């Protein structure tokens, strides 16, 4: 049975943080105010800034920063891996917090040459990496004490969620994360990916073994993976696919997941962000795989 205490406490922390941001957004009418001096690049980075009660300092964000919803009223400098120096520098931020992997490298070189403070926030797919991310951002923002407190809260929530999700190996479901089905081809997640990490944290087994990274796989590989459940990100428009269409694909038709019509879709930033809400993602995915009492 899932014990609600740590996750409930964590939800209260996030509610308070989001309440502060909502007040800021109303006061500023969705636009950065006089105190705004930070450009946040990376969805999880932005979430940490808000959770540290520093949302009022955000001047702009990148396109992956969509949570909490209030931040979408800020200027958008583009996708974090395809930034232009003009777009980044035009917002006039004095501090840029950029998730590791942001770029391209040429853009970062121009930004550094402009003598703007640029802090690289390390990526990572473990609880320890999430806590380190909070520490780095808190130090850069000058609120180390608040970062220490937030890290403790997130650590407790993650520990609670992962303990509740743990189960014997024989009872774990095989989960195949499908990134896309464009052109009728299955692009799935192997080892060393965020999807692999969150599946394991939530008490599942990554069905795609012996493959590193996100790879296009053929019908035979899907059959050998024999997934019990297909996991995908929620998408809109032409990028979305229904369960009926997915399981009608030749590669999927004979899998255990197709027989059970077992498809789970979750918000991509929640699922793969590895930020303050990861405990929530672990619990949500575990419940989707095994039920509320799983």
């Amino acid at each position: 049975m899932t014990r609600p205490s740590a996750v409930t406490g964590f939800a209260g922390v996030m509610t308070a943080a989001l309440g502060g941001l909502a007040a800021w957004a109303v006061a500023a009418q969705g636009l950065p105010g006089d105190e705004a001096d930070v450009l946040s690049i990376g969805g999880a980075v932005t979430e940490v800034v808000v959770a540290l009660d520093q949302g009022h300092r955000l001047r702009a964000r990148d396109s992956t920063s969509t949570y909490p919803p209030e931040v979408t009223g800020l200027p958008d400098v583009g996708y974090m891996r395809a930034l232009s120096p003009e777009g980044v520098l035009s917002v006039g931020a004095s501090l840029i917090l950029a998730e590791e992997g942001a770029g391209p490298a040429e853009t970062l070189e121009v930004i550094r040459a402009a003598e703007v403070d640029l802090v690289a926030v390390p990526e990572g797919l473990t609880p320890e990496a999430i806590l380190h991310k909070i520490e780095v951002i808190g130090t850069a923002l000058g609120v180390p004490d608040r970062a220490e407190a937030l890290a403790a809260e997130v650590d407790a929530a993650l520990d609670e969620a992962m303990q509740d999700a743990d189960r014997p190996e024989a009872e774990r479901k095989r989960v195949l994360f499908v990134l896309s089905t464009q052109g009728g081809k299955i692009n799935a997640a192997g080892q060393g990916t965020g999807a692999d990490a969150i599946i394991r944290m939530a008490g599942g087994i990554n069905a795609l073994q012996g493959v590193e990274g996100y790879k296009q796989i053929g019908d035979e590989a899907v059959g050998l993976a024999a997934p019990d459940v297909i996991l995908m990100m929620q998408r809109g428009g032409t990028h979305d696919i229904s369960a009926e269409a997915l399981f009608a694909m030749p590669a999927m038709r004979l899998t255990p997941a197709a027989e059970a019509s077992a498809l789970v879709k979750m918000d991509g930033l929640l699922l793969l962000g590895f930020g303050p809400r990861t405990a929530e993602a672990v619990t949500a995915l575990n419940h989707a795989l095994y039920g509320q009492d799983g």
Side-chain angles (χ1 to χ4, degrees):
M1 293 290 291
T2 300
R3 298 185 302 276
S5 57
V7 175
T8 301
F10 177 63
V13 171
M14 288 304 296
T15 298
L18 298 186
L21 178 64
W24 157 73
V26 170
Q29 295 182 338
L31 298 174
D34 293 338
E35 292 183 73
D37 62 352
V38 178
L39 166 58
S40 182
I41 298 174
V45 175
T46 302
E47 287 192 33
V48 172
V49 172
V50 173
L52 290 170
D53 299 324
Q54 300 301 301
H56 61 283
R57 293 173 58 181
L58 288 171
R59 179 174 290 276
R61 56 154 187 124
D62 77 308
S63 60
T64 71
S65 298
T66 58
Y67 186 90
E70 289 85 356
V71 301
T72 59
L74 293 166
D76 182 349
V77 299
Y79 178 56
M80 62 173 287
R81 301 189 194 280
L83 300 169
S84 71
E86 296 83 6
V88 170
L89 295 173
S90 69
V91 299
S94 61
L95 172 63
I96 298 173
L97 300 173
E99 189 171 300
E100 187 179 10
E106 295 79 5
T107 292
L108 301 185
E109 289 174 7
V110 173
I111 293 169
R112 291 190 180 98
E115 299 184 349
V116 176
D117 285 341
L118 174 62
V119 175
V121 179
E123 289 185 300
L125 306 176
T126 64
E128 294 75 18
I130 295 171
L131 303 183
H132 183 50
K133 187 180 298 186
I134 293 170
E135 177 188 6
V136 169
I137 296 171
T139 299
L141 292 172
V143 290
D145 291 345
R146 176 59 189 139
E148 183 178 357
L150 177 63
E153 293 154 5
V154 171
D155 188 28
L158 281 167
D159 183 64
E160 183 87 14
M162 291 174 63
Q163 284 190 40
D164 288 336
D166 193 26
R167 65 194 57 248
E169 193 77 10
E171 297 177 11
R172 292 174 176 251
K173 292 187 178 181
R174 297 175 61 82
V175 183
L176 181 66
F177 178 83
V178 175
L179 181 63
S180 73
T181 58
Q182 191 171 10
K185 304 294 185 181
I186 304 293
N187 192 310
Q191 277 68 64
T193 61
D196 174 70
I198 200 70
I199 287 168
R200 289 186 285 106
M201 291 169 74
I205 296 173
N206 185 357
L208 188 59
Q209 299 292 312
V211 173
E212 291 290 326
Y214 293 95
K215 294 288 191 306
Q216 185 174 296
I217 59 175
D219 294 7
E220 183 179 0
V222 175
L224 290 173
D228 299 303
V229 179
I230 305 299
L231 175 62
M232 300 184 75
M233 293 187 291
Q234 290 174 340
R235 295 178 181 270
T238 58
H239 295 289
D240 194 23
I241 185 170
S242 66
E244 293 76 13
L246 176 69
F247 293 129
M249 295 178 67
M252 290 286 182
R253 197 174 296 154
L254 300 179
T255 63
E259 293 176 12
S261 193
L263 171 62
V264 174
K265 293 183 180 182
M266 289 180 59
D267 175 78
L269 182 55
L270 173 65
L271 186 68
L272 303 177
F274 290 88
R277 295 187 295 152
T278 297
E280 180 184 336
V282 169
T283 299
L285 180 55
N286 176 261
H287 287 174
L289 295 176
Y290 303 103
Q292 295 286 327
D293 298 325

